[in-house]
Amino acid sequence: MIRFENVSVTYADAPAPALRNVELTVPEGELMLLVGPSGVGKSTLLGAVAGLVPHFTGGVLRGRVTVGGRDTRDHKPRELADLVGTVGQDPLAHFVTDTVEDELAYGMESLGLAPEVMRRRVEETLDLLGLAELRDRPIATLSGGQRQRVAIGSVLTPHPRVLVLDEPTSALDPAAAEEVLAVLQRLVHDLGTTVLMAEHRLERVVQYADRVALLRAPGEPVLTGPPAEVMAVSPVHPPVVGLARLAGWEPPPLTVRDARRRAAPLRDRLAGRAPAPVALPAAAVPVPAVDAGGTAREGRFGALLSRLRPDRRNGPAESEPGPTESVSGAGAGGGAGADVVSARGLAVRHGRVEALRGVDLTVRPGETVALMGRNGAGKSTLLGALTGMVTPAAGRVLVGGLVPHRTPPRQLVRRVGLVPQEPRDLLFAATVGAECAAADADAGAAPGSCRELVTRLLPGVPDEAHPRDLSEGQRLALALALVLTGRPPLLLLDEPTRGLDYAAKARLVEVLRGLAAEGHAIVLATHDVELAAELAHRVVILADGEVVADGPTPEVVVSSPAFAPQVAKVLAPGPWLTVAQVEAAL
Amino acid sequence: MSRFPHRSGRPPRTRTPSEWRTPADSGAPAESRTPAGSRTPAVTSVPAGAALPGGLRAPRASRANALHAGAWWLWALGLAVAASRTTNPLLLGLLVGVAGYVVAARRTDAPWARSYGAFLKLGLAVLVLRLAFSVVLGSPIPGTHPLVTLPEVPLPEWSRGIRIGGRVTAEQLLFALYDGARLAALLICVGAANALASPARLLKSLPGALYEAGVAVVVALTFAPNLVADVVRLRTARRLRGRPSGGVRAVLQIGLPVLEDALERSVAVAAAMDARGYGRTAPVPAAVRRATTALTLGGLFGVCVGVFGLLTAGGGAWGPPLLAAGALAALAGLRLGGRRSARTRYRPDRWGVRAWLVAGSGLLVGGLMVVWDQPALHPGVLPLVAPELPLWPALSVLPGLLPAFVAPAPEAPSAPEAPSAPEAGPRTPPAPESESGRRPENGSGKESR
């Protein structure tokens, strides 16, 4: 169905080709998964299927790409539209019309299908993707997961024989991701659609793939084969495969179910051991040590503030008691006053929608908290309230003893730092060097301290590069460094692993563990259960703006099928969460 | 198949009847059904229909009975024509009130519907600006009731006729007020059309040959809101870097990233549109293609020459026929050109009885106001008299309210009020259920495990 014959793609101004001599054949009705570290040309390969590379991106394509017998050299993307459906990484960039139903119909209208056919297919697709309630909704009002499903639906309606998806589940919560994957599986099984997709979150998708194509490094030949065989040698692999390598299962199982059936001996071996979860010692050791340092700093700062406050705040006296009281509490050091975050009965409204209702949250220094919950549950809003970008409608929130939305940004940046979902938003300057210099000036830090942080987080980020030209991982490292320049005791990350490959994720985990050990409190809003399992001491689950679970990671996560990591599912009822824990115990 | 929980087919089937209900229903199911009807939301949601017997009530708005966008525009244009025919502030107020009532009763929660507020503000700004100009620059209206005398700026001899400052009279202010009010009313009528009918839907009714251009216009129109959203996002991001989010420097620093984002997004949208078949053409015989070109070009040429003939002296004899022939040829060209595009239309808005009623009511208001050309429509300011409400013109504005009764009623405006506001207090336990009813798509995924 899809054939790449000796394909090389070179973009203009690029020193090396993005793809070199790719040979790949995807037979009809197959679900092929494209894996590999970021920057190996996965998106280029996907774009070439729909003809967007090189018709839209520019560059030179050598060799031949044929889809359903049509050569992309002679066929523009629009002439392949009846054959290939493409959904890119950002669903928002995909939408042409303004309501869900029109969006589903747009592709069919372009192809000139009969009105009755269009009508029927729109209804079918609405049901298939569970979008019936949203049919009249303007697209701008949808949540991330809903948008992703509308985007997939909009390319499904013309019944393309080939579906090309670039990270279809990265932005989705686990349940929504499973729904999307179930739909894809159904298309492959029932309609014989050929699916080619790239995805970093292998733990979600690899069991659905018929074959896997591995791009190991830029310019290396594509290795294709059955998932188990490829996973056995792949540098990127889901945790269940990591567990299999550890336990020596050959070939590695890809699903939790298969792994569980083979895991009985492993469970027996582990049964006797006292489960030594890494989370607890990591939390227990540094907290007291750094607590003192942290409070000392807080104390001086707090004392300074409480001295400044009365004469600075004489005018608006209404908020007086709250902040000062708890600032002095922090200054006194020790007890409950040392909480980095304390929120009580926090409520936030966006217009008429109650985004948060009665949320209580406390975070201590050195603690890592994962905020989880489905798309639109209020995670980002909570982070916004902690950084003062959102004004609460009721309740109170204190960050480092200050009320965030009443604190000037310059002061707040030393208390709390947020890396937003799109780290790119933080970057304004034209070069990495200028960005770092600006961050030093903003935070009043010694010149060069931000640059030092960047090098520490991720070596090899060139000083003169444009922030937009960096890879996802590099950009995240830069944004993290910018935020950390202010040495905030509280660090917030919104969906940090989106678009990161396993290597970049592992580096991020290491960095965040280091920061937590230094006494930084970290709050992560994430859909990535594996990340939460590796990092978080505590998991807080939000649903419809309310906290529905709050407790130590093993307790919360193991009991929930949606939020349990693969290792926990395989080794349940044992409290094991990550491969590293098991490795350490064996 | 066994390794995969075959769940994809279930969302529609496992949904309980309550989940199929619309948000408005699930929000306040008990209230709207109890005969007592003691809760207000259900009643206020259909303000116009409440008094009518069930059969005559306007139906719930949905895609199937959506009013043709053109009907809303004709209605609004009718009101605008009426507004342009009078300076009587009472009549203008009545017109704005009529438009406002219809908007309040029939607009949805869609983003474009929020533009009405912006248009109201714009109208008010126009009014204030008109008054300010009149105060500062004076007015040719002579008046005998001086209110204040501003210090006058001495201007050189050559600028005679322009005055800055000086005497401000009541007559002059009143005249400016009337004039400004007329302009504001016009703007508000246009705003009403904008809020009631999505601009994109109107463009959907374009002839096939122009459709592609129409889509390009729609995409360009969405550019502005996206730009605003980008600016807001980047300003909050600036706050995260510890910089003040206001000021000229902030705008300058944000400017470049915003434009970069916008450019990237437009390229992405263009790629997506192309990949989804935008601009596909059907094979058309060369003869038809040539005929299209000839008809369109010839027609446009004919129209130009015809208009020229109409406007020049002595061209009265050959101008109109040439204009008509040119217009015909151009239309034929457009129609032939439509053959090149293979597109079809998905559920085009139908022009039904309700559309006739809505469009007719607006046109009736405009027409009647043109017919009643009486002095009461233009209350004098010399001498100062209180404007009176002329009976027949005032009555003839009222048909403009018809759309509030006949147009399908959207459920959206009442929906968010029902679950959030009244249930915050005593009805907390049922609230989560209504929430999950609103977004069952994720809930069902979780429950089925």
Side-chain angles (χ1 to χ4, degrees), chain A residues 357 544 546, chain B residues 419 423-424 427-438:
Chain A
R357 253 194 311 257
D544 286 323
E546 289 171 2
Chain B
E423 285 172 14
R427 288 193 59 209
T428 18
E433 277 166 34
S434 76
E435 291 291 330
S436 68
R438 200 189 299 162

Side-chain angles (χ1 to χ4, degrees), chain A residues 56 78 94 101-103 106 109 112-113 146 149 179 186 189 207 375 425-426 435 442 468, chain B residues 1 3 8 63 233 241 243 260-261 274 276 278 280 342-344 346-347 417 439 441:
Chain A
F56 245 92
R78 69 187 74 147
H94 175 89
E101 209 175 333
D102 284 333
E103 191 60 40
Y106 178 81
E109 287 184 322
L113 297 183
Q146 292 168 335
R149 276 182 294 151
E179 279 188 18
R186 188 172 182 189
H189 279 240
Q207 68 264 36
N375 293 97
D425 290 355
L426 281 182
E435 206 70 81
D442 284 338
R468 268 162 206 274
Chain B
M1 213 49 200
R3 57 196 171 139
S8 55
R63 173 78 188 217
R233 213 184 62 227
R241 294 276 304 261
R243 306 178 196 177
E260 281 172 350
D261 271 356
D274 206 347
R276 293 170 68 191
Y278 173 81
R280 270 168 86 102
R343 338 183 22 100
T344 44
Y346 173 74
R347 295 183 83 178
E417 266 162 25
R439 351 178 349 161
E441 71 285 344

Side-chain angles (χ1 to χ4, degrees), chain B residues 86-379:
Chain B
T86 176
T87 56
N88 187 326
L90 300 174
L91 279 178
L92 287 175
L94 200 58
L95 275 167
V96 170
V98 164
Y101 181 78
V102 174
V103 169
R106 287 299 182 263
R107 80 163 157 185
T108 58
D109 249 1
W112 56 84
R114 290 180 216 138
S115 65
Y116 187 64
F119 272 91
L120 272 183
K121 281 183 208 149
L122 187 65
L124 216 61
V126 163
L127 190 62
V128 170
L129 207 65
R130 180 75 182 81
L131 281 173
F133 268 110
S134 171
V135 168
V136 175
L137 296 178
S139 156
I141 308 287
T144 53
H145 296 80
L147 293 177
V148 284
T149 307
L150 297 175
E152 188 166 346
V153 180
L155 288 177
E157 182 59 22
W158 49 264
S159 65
R160 219 167 350 140
I162 301 177
R163 185 173 68 124
I164 297 182
R167 213 166 55 118
V168 179
T169 65
E171 286 88 346
Q172 146 196 356
L173 276 188
L174 200 62
F175 182 79
L177 182 74
Y178 288 174
D179 209 41
R182 178 164 66 169
L183 211 55
L186 262 170
L187 276 174
I188 290 169
C189 288
V190 173
N194 232 330
L196 289 165
S198 151
R201 291 284 272 284
L202 189 64
L203 283 164
K204 269 200 115 176
S205 317
L206 281 177
L210 295 180
Y211 186 90
E212 313 257 289
V215 171
V217 171
V218 170
V219 171
L221 283 180
T222 57
F223 186 78
N226 281 335
L227 213 59
V228 173
D230 279 347
V231 169
V232 171
R233 213 184 62 227
L234 288 178
R235 277 184 58 174
T236 50
R238 255 184 80 82
R239 217 187 124 85
L240 292 177
R241 294 276 304 261
R243 306 178 196 177
S245 50
V248 179
R249 272 195 60 188
V251 172
L252 287 181
Q253 276 194 341
I254 289 173
L256 198 61
V258 164
L259 287 181
E260 281 172 350
D261 271 356
L263 191 68
E264 260 175 35
R265 186 172 312 118
S266 5
V267 172
V269 169
M273 281 169 72
D274 206 347
R276 293 170 68 191
Y278 173 81
R280 270 168 86 102
T281 48
V284 172
V288 174
R289 227 167 38 229
R290 263 178 246 126
T292 311
T293 317
L295 278 172
T296 315
L297 284 182
L300 288 179
F301 184 70
V303 168
C304 290
V305 176
V307 169
F308 180 74
L310 269 182
L311 297 178
T312 46
W318 51 268
L322 201 58
L323 181 61
L328 267 181
L331 279 180
L334 267 186
R335 188 152 186 111
L336 264 188
R339 268 202 215 173
R340 259 198 100 207
S341 115
R343 338 183 22 100
T344 44
R345 299 245 167 101
Y346 173 74
R347 295 183 83 178
D349 291 338
R350 255 165 284 167
W351 191 283
V353 181
R354 289 178 194 276
W356 279 116
L357 286 173
V358 168
S361 68
L363 293 178
L364 183 71
V365 173
L368 284 176
M369 205 60 95
V370 173
V371 171
W372 309 123
D373 197 7
Q374 38 175 279
L377 294 187
H378 303 278

Side-chain angles (χ1 to χ4, degrees), chain A residues 44 58 91 154 174 265 301 340 354 415 510:
Chain A
T44 303
S154 71
F301 205 74
V340 180
E354 286 184 288
R415 290 315 177 99
E510 230 171 84

Side-chain angles (χ1 to χ4, degrees), chain A residues 39-123:
Chain A
V40 290
K42 293 194 297 296
S43 295
T44 303
L45 199 151
L46 294 182
V49 175
L52 292 172
V53 176
H55 286 291
F56 245 92
T57 55
V60 180
L61 185 143
R62 283 195 199 80
R64 236 162 84 98
V65 181
T66 49
V67 184
R70 289 185 219 169
D71 192 333
T72 60
R73 194 188 298 243
D74 321 319
H75 292 80
K76 290 196 175 134
R78 69 187 74 147
E79 285 147 13
L80 296 166
D82 55 327
L83 193 63
V84 184
T86 311
V87 181
Q89 285 180 1
D90 180 11
L92 256 196
H94 175 89
F95 297 132
V96 184
T97 64
D98 50 10
T99 62
V100 171
E101 209 175 333
D102 284 333
E103 191 60 40
L104 293 184
Y106 178 81
M108 294 188 289
E109 287 184 322
S110 299
L111 299 179
L113 297 183
E116 309 80 60
V117 178
M118 289 199 276
R119 188 68 201 275
R120 202 183 62 236
R121 288 199 191 162
V122 167
E123 299 299 330

Side-chain angles (χ1 to χ4, degrees), chain A residues 58 70 125 179 215 254 278 287 368-369 385 402 413 429 435 500 523:
Chain A
R70 289 185 219 169
T125 310
E179 279 188 18
L215 278 165
L254 299 175
V278 294
V287 165
T368 303
V369 176
L402 300 175
V413 81
E435 206 70 81
L500 292 192
V523 179

Side-chain angles (χ1 to χ4, degrees), chain A residues 150-195:
Chain A
V150 172
I152 291 178
S154 71
V155 299
L156 282 185
T157 46
H159 287 192
R161 285 160 63 205
V162 176
L163 207 54
V164 178
L165 307 160
D166 201 349
E167 302 215 22
T169 69
S170 291
L172 302 184
D173 59 66
E178 294 238 351
E179 279 188 18
V180 166
L181 289 167
V183 165
L184 291 180
Q185 181 83 345
R186 188 172 182 189
L187 288 174
V188 172
H189 279 240
D190 298 356
L191 300 175
T193 312
T194 310
V195 177

